Amino acid sequence: MNHYFRRTSWTKSGKKPPKDFIKINFDATVGENIIGYGTVIRDEEGFVLGGGGGFKEGRLSVEEAECMAFEESIKVARRLNIKEHVLFETNHVGLVNRLNNVVNDVTIIGARIKECTAAFSFFKSASLIWTERPCNNLAHLICKKMYSEAKNCLFEMDYPPEIHDA
């Protein structure tokens, strides 16, 4: 089923991005020996342009998993050839704080965040911002699905019906 002409409601999923911006929400779920991650990409009107998610076996902290979800969301945007002004949104405030202090962060996660900010050069402009948990529901839905089904996916405008139903 093609969902091209459907859009998600910004009232359910947070504030609209500024005109000519793309919003990229991402999230991660951590379990005993597996993590799931998910990304959804929408335009300023709420139209889903694409997204994806996956899972990885192993143990990670929540912060490491959220960092990995950030890295994966950049990869998804690049695979879908998104080059516009983008806002990456996460409900993990620690990740946003680390990015804002990346100059002084000498940890492994700090190095990974520096690589993410270097990848921002692919876009016209990019930033990472914090959003409340309810505003990240679609990305969370995808990462829970990837986690529970132990699978990977990438989709464009013809997205899974669960996303529209959410």
Side-chain angles (χ1 to χ4, degrees), residues 15-36:
K15 195 169 87 172
K16 285 174 94 171
K19 185 170 175 32
D20 298 325
F21 272 75
I22 303 294
K23 188 182 270 194
I24 302 173
N25 290 81
F26 65 91
D27 200 11
T29 297
V30 177
E32 185 69 28
N33 284 313
I34 189 172
I35 66 108

Side-chain angles (χ1 to χ4, degrees), residues 34-152:
I34 189 172
I35 66 108
Y37 55 90
T39 300
V40 65
I41 301 172
R42 291 172 289 184
D43 69 10
E44 65 192 53
E45 296 302 319
F47 287 98
V48 174
L49 302 175
F55 79 102
K56 294 197 178 184
E57 293 181 358
R59 291 180 185 231
L60 293 177
S61 69
V62 171
E63 190 171 46
E64 290 169 318
E66 292 285 348
C67 185
M68 187 193 67
F70 183 31
E71 294 164 334
E72 294 296 329
S73 70
I74 292 169
K75 290 177 189 175
V76 168
R78 293 189 69 176
R79 277 189 225 121
L80 296 175
N81 206 28
I82 304 290
K83 294 182 180 180
E84 290 83 358
H85 302 284
V86 297
L87 295 174
F88 289 89
E89 277 193 349
T90 179
N91 60 298
H92 192 277
V93 71
L95 193 64
V96 175
N97 287 341
R98 280 184 174 271
L99 184 128
N100 290 330
N101 195 29
V102 75
V103 172
N104 300 318
D105 193 340
V106 295
T107 65
I108 292 172
I109 291 177
R112 290 172 64 187
I113 291 171
K114 284 178 188 173
E115 289 177 15
C116 288
T117 57
F120 279 3
S121 65
F122 181 78
F123 309 103
K124 285 184 182 175
S125 70
S127 58
L128 174 66
I129 59 175
W130 176 82
T131 190
E132 296 177 22
R133 164 57 95 188
C135 299
N136 217 22
N137 280 343
L138 290 177
H140 185 70
L141 174 95
I142 296 167
C143 74
K144 292 292 275 186
K145 182 175 177 59
M146 300 302 103
Y147 174 89
S148 66
E149 296 177 8
K151 69 178 197 176
N152 298 306

